[in-house]
Amino acid sequence: MPDRPPFTADKRTLLLPLVLIVVGVGWLLSSLGLAPDINWIWTLGLAAAGLLPMVMHGIDKVTVAIGPFFLVASLLSVLRQSGRLHVDHEMPMLVILAGVLLLVARSSMIPVPQWTVSATAPETHSATASNGE
């Protein structure tokens, strides 16, 4: 266990307060009649699916594609539910976005996720060849 004082702030402790604030704002907007027809559970679920990987794992080849995709999907969902965007436009926009994000993720400047990197060095062919296999 790392040496750190109890109750130190880290990224994980930031998540619950932010979720509560966003849920409260959505609820308030619905209560005030400013955004009554928005399904906030769906919309905030999409936003959480976009933020959570980036908050928990940082920026890497996976989160750079997943995070922005779900955040934009959440925004487009609000626009569709409020009558500002038709579903026939929303879906192609999401497909284009997915392609663009996958191209961005291929950049050598964006790191590979740590969970895909092996903790041990890969076995070489010479070790198996010396066993007579």
Side-chain angles (χ1 to χ4, degrees):
M1 188 167 184
D3 291 332
R4 67 178 183 196
F7 302 110
T8 59
D10 66 10
K11 292 185 264 184
R12 286 179 223 122
T13 61
L14 183 64
L15 191 61
L16 180 61
L18 289 178
V19 167
L20 289 174
I21 291 168
V22 172
V23 167
V25 168
W27 190 354
L28 181 62
L29 289 173
S30 293
S31 297
L32 293 173
L34 297 174
D37 296 331
I38 305 296
N39 181 343
W40 289 107
I41 302 286
W42 171 253
T43 302
L44 294 174
L46 288 171
L51 286 175
L52 195 58
M54 292 188 294
V55 168
M56 299 302 288
H57 301 288
I59 302 296
D60 59 37
K61 289 187 180 297
V62 173
T63 62
V64 81
I66 291 173
F69 179 82
F70 281 108
L71 289 172
V72 171
S74 176
L75 174 66
L76 293 178
S77 176
V78 169
L79 292 175
R80 178 181 35 80
Q81 292 178 58
S82 63
R84 295 185 183 118
L85 180 68
H86 196 272
V87 71
D88 289 343
H89 299 142
E90 179 184 20
M91 291 300 128
M93 291 170 79
L94 288 172
V95 170
I96 293 166
L97 176 64
V100 168
L101 291 172
L102 289 173
L103 283 176
V104 168
R106 294 186 52 164
S107 169
S108 61
M109 294 173 38
I110 300 172
V112 174
Q114 288 298 315
W115 55 267
T116 63
V117 179
S118 175
T120 60
E123 206 173 289
T124 61
H125 264 313
S126 61
T128 49
S130 64
N131 291 338
E133 295 175 8

